[in-house]
Amino acid sequence: MKKHLIIKISLYISLITAFSSCGKDDSEEYSEVPDSSPVVLDLNAVPYPKLSDYNFFEGDIKNLEPVKGVLPYDLNSTLFTDYAHKKRFVWMPDNVKAQYISDSKVLNFPSGSVLIKNFYYDNVLPENKTRIIETRLLIKKGEKWILANYLWNDDQTEATLNMNGSYTNISWMENGENKSTNYRIPSKVECYTCHKSEQDTVPIGPKPQNLNKLFNYSDGSKNQLTKWAQAGYLQNNLPDNIITTIDWQDETQPLELRVRSYLDINCAHCHREGSHCDYRPIRLAFNETTNPANLGICVEPEEFINNSLTHIITKGNSERSEMYYRLNSVTENERMPLLGRTIKHQEALDLFKEWINSMEEPCP
């Protein structure tokens, strides 16, 4: 395996030469974050009944144009949710900053921080329109995070708080192919299943290893960590070097590095200590998968779905690998991940098949 990519960051240098690519979902142009913000956030009153109550967006709310102080961001690799696109934003109160803990840990956000994640589809049939389905918020109150999920109405004029979970049918065109699913909007319990560490609710994506990339802002392309620091959202305590995930779709990168980046954002939040699947014998965080055993390579599964699946990863044989089987399954009690996916992620399946079948030496 090639040595994984190490990116040098300096918060005082405006010319960043980290990555030449930018986020695929959130790379439109946005304004520089100014000193003041019209966002409304009373920690004693949240979650509000309507998304518009926060005043995160200006003008027609469905355009998701952020007001002053609402900063867009993206991740190197993003969680697969039945091909839904995402637009992510962060907001913090005045005079507070997030702090770096380590490359692989979520930033230590101050109280009052809000992470805003919008799920939408383009080319929705029959009219080929954009449809926003839900907006998920994580709001930090003191030392704890709370969840708030907002469902958009058919007119795309408002989203209302709903933590009960539901389904909505959707059909759309994706890369010239007609796709459809009964999209699952998660309940509070389902959100907590993925967003838990021990007994606490936690974010998943905003780690330095995932944020360390270029993003297109109105004043040009800039490293996101640099931008956050310049905006007053991040304390200048980052190391000189950050071990960074990659875009798993980047075919110029080594297969295993792409696989490890995919597993980190899609699976590691459950396969770690204190999380939903911590009893299973794999650990899929990016900083842990340099160890082949943590990837499940030549590791026998703790439960056998059928006798043909001899290892979690069976070298040279994807058809005998339990991980590939679970990624390929849409059966609720077999599929991986358990939540957030009802259809196959074909591009990821192709990646895993190529990776597994490229291993020449068989398992003992």
Side-chain angles (χ1 to χ4, degrees):
M1 183 185 72
K2 295 183 181 179
K3 185 176 179 181
H4 48 263
L5 189 61
I6 297 181
I7 308 297
K8 184 173 181 180
I9 298 177
S10 172
L11 297 177
Y12 296 105
I13 300 176
S14 60
L15 183 59
I16 303 296
T17 57
F19 289 98
S20 60
S21 62
C22 300
K24 297 184 182 301
D25 290 336
D26 299 335
S27 59
E28 298 97 349
E29 293 184 351
Y30 293 91
S31 300
E32 184 78 34
V33 175
D35 295 331
S36 60
S37 174
V39 167
V40 177
L41 192 79
D42 179 356
L43 290 180
N44 294 317
V46 294
Y48 297 138
K50 302 189 302 296
L51 183 62
S52 61
D53 294 335
Y54 298 89
N55 200 36
F56 291 138
F57 306 111
E58 61 185 8
D60 193 342
I61 190 173
K62 71 179 181 181
N63 294 328
L64 301 179
E65 291 292 337
V67 300
K68 295 178 180 181
V70 175
L71 182 66
Y73 72 95
D74 197 7
L75 306 177
N76 285 318
S77 284
T78 61
L79 180 71
F80 176 75
T81 316
D82 283 348
Y83 289 98
H85 301 293
K86 289 105 177 183
K87 285 184 182 292
R88 299 171 179 83
F89 302 89
V90 59
W91 180 85
M92 297 181 203
D94 292 337
N95 303 315
V96 295
K97 298 179 180 181
Q99 294 180 322
Y100 169 91
I101 301 174
S102 74
D103 297 354
S104 59
K105 291 187 180 298
V106 172
L107 294 170
N108 183 15
F109 286 90
S111 181
S113 299
V114 186
L115 301 174
I116 308 159
K117 189 175 181 181
N118 305 280
F119 292 71
Y120 70 98
Y121 287 87
D122 288 327
N123 305 314
V124 176
L125 301 173
E127 298 177 322
N128 288 320
K129 291 184 176 180
T130 295
R131 177 187 169 194
I132 310 170
I133 294 182
E134 57 175 326
T135 296
R136 303 179 192 175
L137 304 184
L138 276 169
I139 305 170
K140 194 165 188 185
K141 298 179 66 172
E143 296 300 315
K144 303 291 185 180
W145 290 92
I146 67 167
L147 298 158
N149 200 18
Y150 292 84
L151 307 189
W152 284 73
N153 60 21
D154 292 339
D155 294 332
Q156 302 282 274
T157 57
E158 184 61 273
T160 55
L161 182 67
N162 188 320
M163 301 301 296
N164 297 322
S166 60
Y167 290 90
T168 182
N169 287 308
I170 187 165
S171 297
W172 74 100
M173 296 297 295
E174 185 79 26
N175 296 323
E177 182 179 350
N178 189 333
K179 294 184 179 293
S180 63
T181 188
N182 195 15
Y183 180 95
R184 175 61 180 173
I185 300 164
S187 66
K188 183 177 182 179
V189 172
E190 289 171 316
C191 289
Y192 179 67
T193 298
C194 292
H195 283 274
K196 73 176 179 180
S197 177
E198 301 297 345
Q199 301 301 315
D200 294 328
T201 299
V202 294
I204 294 172
K207 305 170 184 177
Q209 67 176 25
N210 299 331
L211 294 169
N212 184 27
K213 60 170 289 183
L214 298 178
F215 189 96
N216 281 344
Y217 300 95
S218 60
D219 58 349
S221 182
K222 187 169 293 185
N223 182 280
Q224 291 187 127
L225 295 171
T226 302
K227 184 74 170 185
W228 283 37
Q230 291 175 347
Y233 279 2
L234 180 61
Q235 187 175 352
N236 178 24
N237 65 340
L238 274 71
D240 289 338
N241 298 293
I242 290 178
I243 298 175
T244 303
T245 59
I246 63 165
D247 179 357
W248 69 268
Q249 298 178 89
D250 185 353
E251 296 182 358
T252 68
Q253 297 293 334
L255 272 174
E256 186 167 299
L257 188 60
R258 294 169 61 198
V259 165
R260 289 175 53 217
S261 294
Y262 184 92
L263 289 171
D264 179 90
I265 197 62
N266 282 277
C267 309
H269 45 274
C270 282
H271 290 280
R272 64 178 179 180
E273 297 300 320
S275 294
H276 188 69
C277 296
D278 66 355
Y279 62 93
R280 297 194 183 275
I282 50 177
R283 293 293 179 265
L284 300 179
F286 190 70
N287 65 318
E288 296 181 290
T289 48
T290 53
N291 180 352
N294 283 341
L295 281 167
I297 296 176
C298 295
V299 175
E300 290 188 0
E302 74 288 348
E303 60 181 6
F304 286 88
I305 298 174
N306 63 59
N307 291 332
S308 70
L309 305 172
T310 57
H311 301 89
I312 296 175
I313 297 294
T314 304
K315 285 185 175 181
N317 195 333
S318 59
E319 298 303 316
R320 297 182 70 87
S321 299
E322 187 187 62
M323 183 182 291
Y324 181 81
Y325 179 91
R326 289 187 180 276
L327 288 169
N328 195 39
S329 176
V330 294
T331 304
E332 193 168 349
N333 65 341
E334 292 181 347
R335 70 190 181 206
M336 181 179 120
L338 297 170
L339 301 170
R341 181 178 73 82
T342 64
I343 58 179
K344 296 179 182 182
H345 190 187
Q346 189 57 52
E347 295 80 3
L349 284 170
D350 294 343
L351 170 67
F352 276 78
K353 186 173 185 177
E354 182 181 2
W355 171 60
I356 294 170
N357 292 343
S358 70
M359 302 179 191
E360 296 181 356
E361 183 182 347
C363 292

